[in-house]
Amino acid sequence: MKKLLVPLLLFSTHAFAENNFYAGVSASVFNDTELKLSGMSADKNSDIGASASAGYSFAMSSGLELGIEVEYVKYGKAKFTDTYHVENEAVYINAKPKFIEVGNNLYSALILGVGSMSSEIKNNGQTIKDSDLSYQAGLEVGYMIDEWDIGIGYRYQTADFDGFYGMDVSNQSVTLGIQYNF
């Protein structure tokens, strides 16, 4: 039985995908939050963040799926000093073209999204909040096992906040995620 299991795992193939709903979660690690104002910038590694997404995938061809999804992202807290820190969260509508190597379980995907980022800056006990238009771009590579996709990726998100005197806030991170295809 063990001799049969190894070849089955090595040569398993993902069936041609059909249109389907999906949902997933991911953790963002190695986060870097950057603040830019009047030509000056400061960046800081932040805590681990998380996201949840739900979408619908359209089979475009035997090696291409197009996912349209809604994603909620909670970024980790970026602590610049003991009294100054930033917390961000966002909601995006993403287009996610997924390229599947035919006859294999490997995939790669692009993520392009537009949405709203909310940011909260705390400085010496005072808090200011603002929300503004945000964009995100990313890459993901992964492996498909039955209805599950397991992937690792990179994300970059940015927003220009009018309420913070024109401050730009951006975040970049490595993501580890899992998705279930219904």
Side-chain angles (χ1 to χ4, degrees), residues 57-70:
S57 179
F58 301 91
M60 306 302 282
S61 69
S62 62
L64 175 63
E65 295 177 13
L66 176 61
I68 303 297
E69 66 184 26
V70 174

Side-chain angles (χ1 to χ4, degrees), residues 10-178:
L10 289 175
F11 297 106
S12 63
T13 59
H14 192 268
F16 175 67
E18 297 179 8
N19 298 345
N20 63 298
F21 287 100
Y22 62 88
V25 294
S26 67
S28 55
V29 295
F30 306 114
N31 292 315
D32 184 56
T33 299
E34 182 177 31
L35 306 176
K36 291 182 186 175
L37 180 63
S38 301
M40 298 185 324
S41 68
D43 65 282
K44 189 69 176 173
N45 291 335
S46 58
D47 297 337
I48 293 175
S51 71
S53 61
Y56 192 77
S57 179
F58 301 91
M60 306 302 282
S61 69
S62 62
L64 175 63
E65 295 177 13
L66 176 61
I68 303 297
E69 66 184 26
V70 174
E71 179 183 28
Y72 170 77
V73 181
K74 176 70 175 164
Y75 304 98
K77 181 190 296 186
K79 196 171 183 179
F80 288 85
T81 67
D82 289 337
T83 60
Y84 188 87
H85 66 270
V86 178
E87 292 185 60
N88 301 311
E89 61 183 5
V91 175
Y92 293 102
I93 296 174
N94 298 326
K96 185 177 180 182
K98 180 177 169 184
F99 306 95
I100 303 164
E101 187 177 327
V102 178
N104 201 329
N105 289 15
L106 300 175
Y107 74 89
S108 60
L110 299 173
I111 297 98
L112 299 171
V114 63
S116 176
M117 183 185 290
S118 298
S119 200
E120 179 178 278
I121 297 177
K122 293 185 179 181
N123 187 16
N124 292 321
Q126 295 182 339
T127 301
I128 57 173
K129 297 179 184 181
D130 196 12
S131 295
D132 216 321
L133 183 65
S134 177
Y135 302 98
Q136 89 166 321
L139 304 167
E140 182 178 303
V141 294
Y143 192 78
M144 300 174 290
I145 303 170
D146 297 324
E147 291 85 20
W148 296 95
D149 294 356
I150 301 168
I152 184 169
Y154 168 81
R155 298 283 179 104
Y156 177 81
Q157 298 99 355
T158 187
D160 299 329
F161 290 98
D162 297 329
F164 297 152
Y165 310 104
M167 181 182 296
D168 298 342
V169 177
S170 63
N171 186 70
Q172 56 184 331
S173 61
V174 173
T175 60
L176 305 171
I178 188 164

